Amino acid sequence: MTQISQKNKVKQIINLLSEKYPSPKCALDHKNPWQLLVATILSAQCTDKRVNMITPNLFKKYTTVESFAKANIKELEEIIHSAGFYHNKAKNIISCATELLNKFNGILPQTLDELTKLPGVGRKTGSVLLGSAFGKAEGIVVDTHVSRLSKIIGLTQNTDPEKIEKDLMKIVDKKNWINFSHWLILHGRETCIARRPKCDNCIINHLCESFCKN
């Protein structure tokens, strides 16, 4: 399929999913950009639902960037234990808070280049923060849902998240970069479920390469 037809396909997908999900947003509960960053770090290889069970107590105990920077790592690990990989996540959160205070006076930068220099912040985490906290589109968030659906639908043949992101950035209008991820994530959770996809009830099945092959 040519890039032009891919762009038209994406436009049709966006039209349909935007009607079904008119107000998409990040599923991670947060009250400010720093909380969103912490929640996104915790969400690596962990469900948003699980993270949202952890963060109320976490943000009650640690209320500021400064308090995270001064946190006892063992106490922090105990709170975030159920998120998995808690040793690295606790270390990254404390290091990130410390670096943010030392280099940015505790204020989160608003560019992907600066954000990805913080410990524990990769391109995906940075894009989540920029899009959901600041409304800035510097990239497209490629999580497991976006990766899986992009391949199923036929928007990419790549498996590497950064390569998938580059493919999507070529065919999705920049004005839709932020919401496109939200739409695919919502569709992946409700309809295109990994182990039991509801293909017959899918509103974009006529645009899905995998469905049309069957």
Side-chain angles (χ1 to χ4, degrees):
M1 187 176 281
T2 66
Q3 192 175 103
I4 296 299
S5 61
Q6 283 283 58
K7 285 185 176 181
N8 288 332
K9 177 178 176 177
V10 165
K11 284 182 180 178
Q12 292 180 62
I13 290 170
I14 287 173
N15 286 338
L16 290 165
L17 293 182
S18 63
E19 284 184 20
K20 186 174 182 180
Y21 307 109
S23 303
K25 64 178 182 177
C26 179
L28 293 168
D29 295 336
H30 62 281
K31 292 181 179 178
N32 56 55
W34 168 250
Q35 287 189 357
L36 177 58
L37 180 55
V38 172
T40 307
I41 291 173
L42 291 175
S43 72
Q45 295 179 282
C46 178
T47 65
D48 291 348
K49 183 178 180 180
R50 169 56 58 183
V51 173
N52 288 340
M53 292 170 67
I54 294 169
T55 49
N57 286 335
L58 180 66
F59 296 145
K60 185 177 180 181
K61 182 173 178 64
Y62 305 106
T63 58
T64 63
V65 177
E66 289 83 359
S67 60
F68 272 100
K70 296 175 182 177
N72 177 288
I73 192 165
K74 295 298 181 184
E75 291 180 358
L76 181 55
E77 285 178 351
E78 186 176 341
I79 295 174
I80 68 170
H81 185 276
S82 62
F85 302 95
Y86 59 93
H87 292 304
N88 282 337
K89 289 179 181 180
K91 179 182 176 183
N92 283 335
I93 290 170
I94 292 173
S95 297
C96 184
T98 303
E99 193 89 344
L100 190 61
L101 290 169
N102 292 339
K103 292 190 174 180
F104 299 99
N105 296 315
I107 300 171
L108 281 165
Q110 295 187 30
T111 68
L112 199 53
D113 182 58
E114 290 176 306
L115 282 170
T116 52
K117 290 177 181 175
L118 293 170
V121 181
R123 186 174 177 87
K124 173 194 158 188
T125 300
S127 291
V128 169
L129 185 70
L130 288 175
S132 294
F134 302 119
K136 294 188 174 184
E138 284 197 32
I140 295 177
V141 175
V142 178
D143 74 343
T144 54
H145 290 292
V146 175
S147 175
R148 180 172 58 83
L149 267 67
S150 295
K151 287 182 283 185
I152 288 172
I153 294 169
L155 303 180
T156 183
Q157 293 182 344
N158 286 303
T159 55
D160 177 75
E162 289 198 14
K163 290 181 179 178
I164 292 173
E165 182 185 17
K166 287 179 181 178
D167 289 340
L168 294 177
M169 288 167 71
K170 291 175 184 175
I171 58 177
V172 178
D173 286 343
K174 189 171 183 178
K175 65 180 181 181
N176 291 314
W177 282 5
I178 296 170
N179 283 340
F180 188 71
S181 295
H182 293 323
W183 285 320
L184 286 195
I185 290 168
L186 288 166
H187 189 63
R189 285 176 177 158
E190 289 190 13
T191 305
C192 193
I193 304 165
R195 294 181 181 177
R196 53 184 192 284
K198 304 172 184 177
C199 297
D200 290 337
N201 297 322
C202 175
I203 60 172
I204 61 170
N205 59 16
H206 60 294
L207 299 166
C208 177
E209 191 173 283
S210 295
F211 182 80
C212 292
K213 283 180 180 179
N214 298 328

